[in-house]
Amino acid sequence: MKRLTAILFGLWAAAALAAGPAFAEKRVALVIGNGAYENATRLANPINDATAMADLFRKAGFDVVEARTDLGNLEFKRVAREFTLIARDADIAVMYFAGHGIEVNGTNYLLPVDAKLATDFDVEDEALSLDRLIRALEPAKRLRLIILDACRDNPFVTTMRRNIASRQVTSGLAKVEPATSDTLIAFAARAGSTAEDGRGKNSPFTTALVKNLTVPGRDVRIALGYVRDEVLRTTGNRQEPFVYGSLGGATVALVPERKQIAAPPPAPPPSVRSADPRLDYEFAERVGTREAWDSFLSVHTSGFYADLARAQREKVSRAAQPVIPQVPPPPRVSAAQPQQDGTAATAESPAAPTESAPPAAVAALPESASREIAVLPAPKGDQRVIARGLQTELRRVGCDPGAIDGVWSPKAQAALALFNRHAGASLDTEQATIAALDAVKAQRGRICPLICGAGQQEQGGRCVAIPQQPKPKKEAVRPPELGAREKARERARERARAQPKPEPRRPSASRAVCPAGSSPFSQGGRMCCEVTPDGRGAPRIFCP
């Protein structure tokens, strides 16, 4: 019985060794679906087709499946460049594209969603040539497979201006002959013809690929032959897929025959190794685990990026280590409170742990000691975070620390000193510590008294303005009464003002006549006469 068991075990081991290379093959895939074109006809199926193909490769156990949709020009080219690194150590590399593809002067181009193609010159800058994708898959060792569901009408054929008359812009894709061996390029339709989108969720070409491409043990050339037959049958012989390139005589299957015996566990994120440490560092940083940094350091053992990787690995290791206290923390606050019988009872109030830093151990004083808090040295941590938390708690218990900004200012120190005085504590005010944060957090009500400024009063635990009392109205001051003599004088003044003013007295015309031989003149408002008697002697003046 033991001998039979040994023989069976040997046969099983030989079979496992024989199947080992097939299972050890690394297979990678890049899937792109462009449908939301900005300057051309939008396509409904490419996103669904790309999703179906990505799921197909994942279920087939591919090590890496990069799936992208609606790529612009720069992103499209960057993804193709990065896939070159992924395919560098792969045995089988597959690239699938669904979207618009055009032929210009015998060269095939795949269009990003932001292509404009105002002229035939623009296609070299705004599109990705099929030759570039073939070069991106060159590092693969055993099979390079490109599948293009892009044989549609050229959306720019009527609007693109020709700068060179010899250039030809047509619909569909042109025939291609890969320069590298073990390379196959599968078109959804024969060169020069167009493919149908179909009426279902996926195009006829993608629907047939999902059914036939990853059958375990089936040679990829046979699988593509089944795809051709099904598409011809579905489209009524209007569309014939075509394959360009060649393979050797060995069977090349995307899924090995024995792959169905035991499905491997889900593959971890790929470790892309290249000669450029910067690219490897970026890939390791995306993963961000300790294993990723170990993988990077196994390839790049020295240099600037190696030092950075060691620092990142140490940072991840420290973050993963749980904080375990050396001793169980005793109660943080111990207060001696007198009871009715004269004895002292100890009231302990546990402090809640903070989220910003690990709690510090606070020693409880003996029962005979006065009510105070003993502080052990706080562990090292982010002082700014601790200070911000302590400022928040000080404000909660009524001790104003000023701005809540994590800066341990003199105002915050004064607030903690005020807390010490009213809480009977002896916390260090020079710096913010975790022990002080725990001690303040343990208080459930206001500790510092409310101090109101001038013109304010305490009301409901807040300072409010004192309401202004309305000023009494002043009575009008009545002038003192006048005496009888003053009243009489005032009445006389009023009568004098009421009487009309006399007109100036004018001399009458009769009086203004002077006797003959006299000369009249005015003096003091009166008419006077100057008379010289008999023409001799001194003149006489009289005013009649």
Side-chain angles (χ1 to χ4, degrees), residues 37 362 462 466 543:
Y37 284 91
V362 180
R462 296 186 303 169
I466 299 176
C543 296

Side-chain angles (χ1 to χ4, degrees), residues 318-329 358-361 379:
R318 286 198 306 268
Q321 291 178 356
V323 178
I324 303 176
Q326 298 295 332
V327 293

